[in-house]
Amino acid sequence: MPHIDDETLALYALGEDVLEPEQRAHLDTCPTCARTAQDLTRVTTGARRSGTAPELVPPDPAVWARVHDELALTAVPAVLPPPDAPRTPPGEVDAAVPDEPAAVPDELAARRGRRAWWPVLVAACTALVLGVAGGVLWERRTLEPAETTVASTVLDPLPDWAGSSGEAVLQTTADGRRQILVTVDAPAPAGTYREVWLLKPDVSGLVSLGVLEDDQGRFDVPEGLDLAAYSVVDVSEEHLDGDPAHSGDSVVRGSLAT
Ligand SMILES: [Zn+2]
């Protein structure tokens, strides 16, 4: 099943009983959803501990509609005070209702007052949690880039390709693979294509990384290949002649050796 959506997890973090049985099972086995729920719970716990009573504001109608859907509430407008109505703090009986029948016990009236504010409180907390969680997720993404740059080099043109230029960047991915990002600015005559290679500096060995489509490409470095030995990045012009060997016509070249 797909991951549990953020709104549902936020309500769950607020202590609401919103999870379907299959969502509950998913949460037990999915590290992604479990971590999100954990983050959201930490936020709500922190917000509850902060001690300062927040000013309660009626939610935007769109927010309210989503909360309503989420909780499958009925009689929506009845529980929302009109925008200009005097605000009643949660848990307090509205003193502006003197017509309340005397037969209604105080406790019931109090509960009614609480209930009227409860969805607004949930909506406000949901907005707070989603906002903070969004910030947390954004920060995590910013702090953990997908790739780490290890080395980079300018690719200089060979004499036949004066005016061309390029760049090669060696990166490691989050799961430890090595990749080389190659960018080339050079004319591309019809009927030719470009291939990216790693060479030994004395050109006694070469490994093909693949065909460079367009002006930029990302290539995996074969696992175990010694980049200290194969330190030169070379981009060649190749012809559609069926010969897999290097054409001998290098366009740009540079060394990743540090
Ligand atoms: Zn999940």
Side-chain angles (χ1 to χ4, degrees):
M1 71 171 283
H3 290 310
I4 304 167
D5 62 275
D6 287 348
E7 285 92 332
T8 303
L9 284 176
L11 289 167
Y12 169 76
L14 285 165
E16 299 305 321
D17 184 21
V18 290
L19 295 184
E20 303 290 339
E22 58 268 29
Q23 289 179 312
R24 198 173 293 279
H26 176 84
L27 188 60
D28 285 341
T29 56
C30 173
T32 305
C33 289
R35 192 166 68 166
T36 305
Q38 201 177 13
D39 288 347
L40 292 169
T41 304
R42 205 176 302 136
V43 171
T44 53
T45 308
R48 278 174 182 147
R49 279 204 199 117
S50 70
T52 51
E55 190 198 359
L56 295 177
V57 180
D60 182 88
V63 173
W64 172 245
R66 298 193 68 175
V67 172
H68 174 242
D69 286 347
E70 203 72 54
L71 300 178
L73 297 178
T74 53
V76 187
V79 296
L80 267 187
D84 53 352
R87 285 176 186 160
T88 309
E92 279 189 58
V93 184
D94 192 346
V97 191
D99 297 333
E100 189 81 37
V104 177
D106 285 351
E107 197 197 336
L108 180 57
R111 204 182 303 147
R112 210 175 268 169
R114 249 200 303 275
R115 190 175 298 160
W117 275 100
W118 176 75
V120 181
L121 190 63
V122 169
C125 288
T126 303
L128 173 72
V129 167
L130 292 181
V132 173
V136 168
L137 293 176
W138 177 84
E139 190 182 77
R140 187 181 294 159
R141 215 166 287 153
T142 311
L143 290 177
E144 295 175 13
E147 293 94 16
T148 308
T149 295
V150 178
S152 66
T153 181
V154 168
L155 301 178
D156 294 315
L158 277 86
D160 285 350
W161 293 90
S164 300
S165 62
E167 187 188 21
V169 180
L170 173 64
Q171 298 182 323
T172 53
T173 62
D175 56 0
R177 285 176 299 138
R178 296 175 299 172
Q179 295 184 325
I180 294 182
L181 182 64
V182 175
T183 309
V184 170
D185 181 11
T192 69
Y193 65 96
R194 296 175 188 136
E195 191 164 351
V196 177
W197 310 78
L198 285 175
L199 314 181
K200 289 186 175 177
D202 61 2
V203 205
S204 65
L206 80 169
V207 174
S208 170
L209 292 186
V211 172
L212 177 65
E213 305 279 1
D214 304 320
D215 293 334
Q216 192 175 68
R218 181 177 286 278
F219 302 90
D220 283 319
V221 176
E223 200 178 335
L225 185 74
D226 182 5
L227 279 177
Y230 289 85
S231 58
V232 176
V233 178
D234 176 280
V235 180
S236 67
E237 182 188 85
E238 300 291 332
H239 296 266
L240 297 166
D241 53 11
D243 181 356
H246 193 292
S247 66
D249 187 2
S250 292
V251 179
V252 289
R253 195 181 279 180
S255 175
L256 285 170
T258 49

